[in-house]
Amino acid sequence: MGARTKPFSLRNQRPLYSLDAVADDNGICQLMVEPQNYDCEEHTVTTQDGYILSLQRITVGRSAGTTGDRPPVMLQHGVFVDGITWLLLPADKSPAFLLADNNFDVWIANTRGTKYSRGHTSLCPNDAAYWDWTWDTLVSSDLPAVFNYVYDRTGHRLHYVGRSQGTLMALAAFSKEQLLDMLRSAVLLSPIAYVGQMTSPLARSAAENFLAEVNTPFSVGQNMEHYGQATPPLYNMSSIPNDLPLFLSYGGANALSDVRDVKLLLDSFEDHDGDKLVIQYREDYAHTDFVMGKNAKEVVYDPLMAFLRLQ
């Protein structure tokens, strides 16, 4: 992420998700949360460039828990999926439900173009212009829109939990010292900042297409159009504040977030405050295990919640 790159544009590309019956689908609350007997609210957030994002809030766990303040936690999904990824395991093992049951105010984000975030103030998903954005547009538009919305609604700084693409978005923002005034701590599962050592040809192709770490740069005019400056933005991981509480968890069997790439990221944190950085490594964990692993509750989520309680 420190090199100048041409981020992938979705112009003239096949959409990442099916466009079938978007408007007729029930929301995530009705589909995934309420059947498990949790209260759930559907929210929408409009970005500065007109994309209407869906956001689900689980305000309280099934046991009701304490009546005092419940710290907000924002869950940001990975690439090619949506917020449902946090709800796939049984309720006593899914991270969103576990956090709600442990007295956190849970907010599930869905980036533009995903099934439940297809709205726009003037475009529809069938318009080529709707898909004309790059991954760092998620950093500059989607992420701050959701952060500001949750912060304004709760009055509290957020705990952030991201996986895969969700970690990339967060790292890019934090390296520019953005959103930090609304942030309490960050959890990065399968963190992605570098993709040079991917072992899976399919995963590498997907990453190169989406992150577009290619050698052909945008023209100055294209850079001005996309970024408002003559050159692409540079993201320096060592610029992330050393006192930001961070929890990083990665796996040895992860074809998308390769161990060698993660270690490059960890090198950026060599001066991080020792009591503000937790690093967890699981030799047997692959990319999806962090949201679908049968033992993820014990291995990942219990330590994750213990970390959040200390912040």
Side-chain angles (χ1 to χ4, degrees), residues 185-205:
S185 72
V187 173
L188 308 176
L189 307 177
S190 293
I192 294 178
Y194 304 92
V195 296
Q197 301 298 326
M198 284 185 182
T199 56
S200 165
L202 179 61
R204 187 172 182 83
S205 175

mmCIF file of all heavy atoms in Angstrom, residues 185-205:
data_model
loop_
_atom_site.group_PDB
_atom_site.id
_atom_site.type_symbol
_atom_site.label_atom_id
_atom_site.label_comp_id
_atom_site.label_asym_id
_atom_site.label_seq_id
_atom_site.Cartn_x
_atom_site.Cartn_y
_atom_site.Cartn_z
ATOM 1 N N SER A 185 -11.059 1.533 19.554
ATOM 2 C CA SER A 185 -10.067 0.487 19.315
ATOM 3 C C SER A 185 -10.393 -0.157 17.976
ATOM 4 O O SER A 185 -11.468 0.060 17.414
ATOM 5 C CB SER A 185 -10.069 -0.574 20.426
ATOM 6 O OG SER A 185 -11.230 -1.384 20.344
ATOM 7 N N ALA A 186 -9.469 -0.977 17.465
ATOM 8 C CA ALA A 186 -9.683 -1.646 16.177
ATOM 9 C C ALA A 186 -9.237 -3.092 16.270
ATOM 10 O O ALA A 186 -8.159 -3.394 16.800
ATOM 11 C CB ALA A 186 -8.935 -0.934 15.059
ATOM 12 N N VAL A 187 -10.067 -3.972 15.726
ATOM 13 C CA VAL A 187 -9.770 -5.399 15.612
ATOM 14 C C VAL A 187 -9.652 -5.723 14.133
ATOM 15 O O VAL A 187 -10.560 -5.417 13.351
ATOM 16 C CB VAL A 187 -10.872 -6.254 16.260
ATOM 17 C CG1 VAL A 187 -10.630 -7.742 15.991
ATOM 18 C CG2 VAL A 187 -10.951 -5.980 17.758
ATOM 19 N N LEU A 188 -8.548 -6.336 13.737
ATOM 20 C CA LEU A 188 -8.276 -6.637 12.333
ATOM 21 C C LEU A 188 -8.121 -8.146 12.172
ATOM 22 O O LEU A 188 -7.135 -8.729 12.630
ATOM 23 C CB LEU A 188 -7.007 -5.915 11.872
ATOM 24 C CG LEU A 188 -6.967 -4.400 12.147
ATOM 25 C CD1 LEU A 188 -5.616 -3.828 11.736
ATOM 26 C CD2 LEU A 188 -8.103 -3.679 11.435
ATOM 27 N N LEU A 189 -9.098 -8.781 11.539
ATOM 28 C CA LEU A 189 -9.099 -10.226 11.313
ATOM 29 C C LEU A 189 -8.710 -10.509 9.865
ATOM 30 O O LEU A 189 -9.287 -9.940 8.949
ATOM 31 C CB LEU A 189 -10.491 -10.808 11.602
ATOM 32 C CG LEU A 189 -11.106 -10.475 12.966
ATOM 33 C CD1 LEU A 189 -12.503 -11.069 13.076
ATOM 34 C CD2 LEU A 189 -10.219 -10.957 14.108
ATOM 35 N N SER A 190 -7.744 -11.388 9.665
ATOM 36 C CA SER A 190 -7.187 -11.619 8.324
ATOM 37 C C SER A 190 -6.762 -10.299 7.693
ATOM 38 O O SER A 190 -7.239 -9.924 6.613
ATOM 39 C CB SER A 190 -8.204 -12.318 7.408
ATOM 40 O OG SER A 190 -8.469 -13.613 7.832
ATOM 41 N N PRO A 191 -5.857 -9.556 8.347
ATOM 42 C CA PRO A 191 -5.519 -8.218 7.854
ATOM 43 C C PRO A 191 -4.832 -8.248 6.503
ATOM 44 O O PRO A 191 -3.996 -9.115 6.225
ATOM 45 C CB PRO A 191 -4.581 -7.678 8.946
ATOM 46 C CG PRO A 191 -4.000 -8.886 9.587
ATOM 47 C CD PRO A 191 -5.088 -9.920 9.544
ATOM 48 N N ILE A 192 -5.220 -7.281 5.661
ATOM 49 C CA ILE A 192 -4.646 -7.164 4.322
ATOM 50 C C ILE A 192 -4.128 -5.753 4.120
ATOM 51 O O ILE A 192 -4.886 -4.786 4.192
ATOM 52 C CB ILE A 192 -5.680 -7.492 3.227
ATOM 53 C CG1 ILE A 192 -6.091 -8.965 3.311
ATOM 54 C CG2 ILE A 192 -5.108 -7.183 1.851
ATOM 55 C CD1 ILE A 192 -7.158 -9.351 2.297
ATOM 56 N N ALA A 193 -2.828 -5.647 3.912
ATOM 57 C CA ALA A 193 -2.218 -4.383 3.503
ATOM 58 C C ALA A 193 -1.266 -4.615 2.341
ATOM 59 O O ALA A 193 -0.963 -3.697 1.589
ATOM 60 C CB ALA A 193 -1.472 -3.732 4.671
ATOM 61 N N TYR A 194 -0.786 -5.852 2.196
ATOM 62 C CA TYR A 194 0.115 -6.254 1.117
ATOM 63 C C TYR A 194 -0.387 -7.566 0.531
ATOM 64 O O TYR A 194 -0.966 -8.393 1.246
ATOM 65 C CB TYR A 194 1.540 -6.443 1.645
ATOM 66 C CG TYR A 194 2.101 -5.229 2.340
ATOM 67 C CD1 TYR A 194 1.959 -5.068 3.724
ATOM 68 C CD2 TYR A 194 2.753 -4.231 1.626
ATOM 69 C CE1 TYR A 194 2.466 -3.943 4.366
ATOM 70 C CE2 TYR A 194 3.260 -3.110 2.256
ATOM 71 C CZ TYR A 194 3.114 -2.964 3.629
ATOM 72 O OH TYR A 194 3.609 -1.851 4.251
ATOM 73 N N VAL A 195 -0.177 -7.775 -0.772
ATOM 74 C CA VAL A 195 -0.673 -8.996 -1.417
ATOM 75 C C VAL A 195 0.406 -9.664 -2.255
ATOM 76 O O VAL A 195 0.112 -10.469 -3.140
ATOM 77 C CB VAL A 195 -1.912 -8.698 -2.292
ATOM 78 C CG1 VAL A 195 -3.070 -8.218 -1.440
ATOM 79 C CG2 VAL A 195 -1.584 -7.664 -3.376
ATOM 80 N N GLY A 196 1.666 -9.382 -1.979
ATOM 81 C CA GLY A 196 2.748 -9.876 -2.819
ATOM 82 C C GLY A 196 3.041 -11.350 -2.680
ATOM 83 O O GLY A 196 3.695 -11.931 -3.551
ATOM 84 N N GLN A 197 2.557 -11.999 -1.597
ATOM 85 C CA GLN A 197 2.937 -13.390 -1.343
ATOM 86 C C GLN A 197 1.767 -14.358 -1.385
ATOM 87 O O GLN A 197 1.866 -15.467 -0.869
ATOM 88 C CB GLN A 197 3.619 -13.480 0.036
ATOM 89 C CG GLN A 197 4.850 -12.621 0.181
ATOM 90 C CD GLN A 197 5.946 -13.001 -0.793
ATOM 91 O OE1 GLN A 197 6.111 -14.170 -1.133
ATOM 92 N NE2 GLN A 197 6.699 -12.014 -1.262
ATOM 93 N N MET A 198 0.655 -13.970 -1.990
ATOM 94 C CA MET A 198 -0.496 -14.864 -2.046
ATOM 95 C C MET A 198 -0.139 -16.169 -2.754
ATOM 96 O O MET A 198 0.482 -16.150 -3.808
ATOM 97 C CB MET A 198 -1.654 -14.199 -2.779
ATOM 98 C CG MET A 198 -2.368 -13.161 -1.961
ATOM 99 S SD MET A 198 -3.793 -12.546 -2.862
ATOM 100 C CE MET A 198 -4.373 -11.326 -1.694
ATOM 101 N N THR A 199 -0.575 -17.290 -2.174
ATOM 102 C CA THR A 199 -0.265 -18.598 -2.742
ATOM 103 C C THR A 199 -1.361 -19.120 -3.659
ATOM 104 O O THR A 199 -1.112 -19.982 -4.489
ATOM 105 C CB THR A 199 -0.039 -19.617 -1.612
ATOM 106 O OG1 THR A 199 -1.209 -19.644 -0.764
ATOM 107 C CG2 THR A 199 1.166 -19.225 -0.770
ATOM 108 N N SER A 200 -2.583 -18.631 -3.499
ATOM 109 C CA SER A 200 -3.694 -19.101 -4.306
ATOM 110 C C SER A 200 -3.801 -18.291 -5.591
ATOM 111 O O SER A 200 -3.983 -17.075 -5.541
ATOM 112 C CB SER A 200 -5.012 -18.982 -3.521
ATOM 113 O OG SER A 200 -6.117 -19.101 -4.385
ATOM 114 N N PRO A 201 -3.697 -18.933 -6.773
ATOM 115 C CA PRO A 201 -3.842 -18.184 -8.032
ATOM 116 C C PRO A 201 -5.182 -17.472 -8.140
ATOM 117 O O PRO A 201 -5.261 -16.340 -8.612
ATOM 118 C CB PRO A 201 -3.696 -19.265 -9.109
ATOM 119 C CG PRO A 201 -2.926 -20.360 -8.443
ATOM 120 C CD PRO A 201 -3.367 -20.350 -7.013
ATOM 121 N N LEU A 202 -6.268 -18.135 -7.683
ATOM 122 C CA LEU A 202 -7.585 -17.515 -7.748
ATOM 123 C C LEU A 202 -7.653 -16.305 -6.835
ATOM 124 O O LEU A 202 -8.135 -15.231 -7.219
ATOM 125 C CB LEU A 202 -8.665 -18.533 -7.359
ATOM 126 C CG LEU A 202 -10.107 -18.019 -7.359
ATOM 127 C CD1 LEU A 202 -10.497 -17.545 -8.746
ATOM 128 C CD2 LEU A 202 -11.050 -19.116 -6.859
ATOM 129 N N ALA A 203 -7.156 -16.459 -5.611
ATOM 130 C CA ALA A 203 -7.183 -15.341 -4.675
ATOM 131 C C ALA A 203 -6.308 -14.195 -5.165
ATOM 132 O O ALA A 203 -6.674 -13.019 -5.052
ATOM 133 C CB ALA A 203 -6.709 -15.815 -3.294
ATOM 134 N N ARG A 204 -5.164 -14.528 -5.708
ATOM 135 C CA ARG A 204 -4.272 -13.484 -6.202
ATOM 136 C C ARG A 204 -4.903 -12.736 -7.372
ATOM 137 O O ARG A 204 -4.814 -11.508 -7.465
ATOM 138 C CB ARG A 204 -2.930 -14.079 -6.636
ATOM 139 C CG ARG A 204 -1.904 -13.013 -7.010
ATOM 140 C CD ARG A 204 -0.530 -13.605 -7.237
ATOM 141 N NE ARG A 204 0.406 -12.538 -7.544
ATOM 142 C CZ ARG A 204 1.014 -11.798 -6.647
ATOM 143 N NH1 ARG A 204 0.773 -11.988 -5.369
ATOM 144 N NH2 ARG A 204 1.849 -10.842 -6.999
ATOM 145 N N SER A 205 -5.574 -13.464 -8.278
ATOM 146 C CA SER A 205 -6.242 -12.812 -9.393
ATOM 147 C C SER A 205 -7.330 -11.874 -8.906
ATOM 148 O O SER A 205 -7.458 -10.741 -9.374
ATOM 149 C CB SER A 205 -6.838 -13.871 -10.329
ATOM 150 O OG SER A 205 -7.580 -13.262 -11.360
#
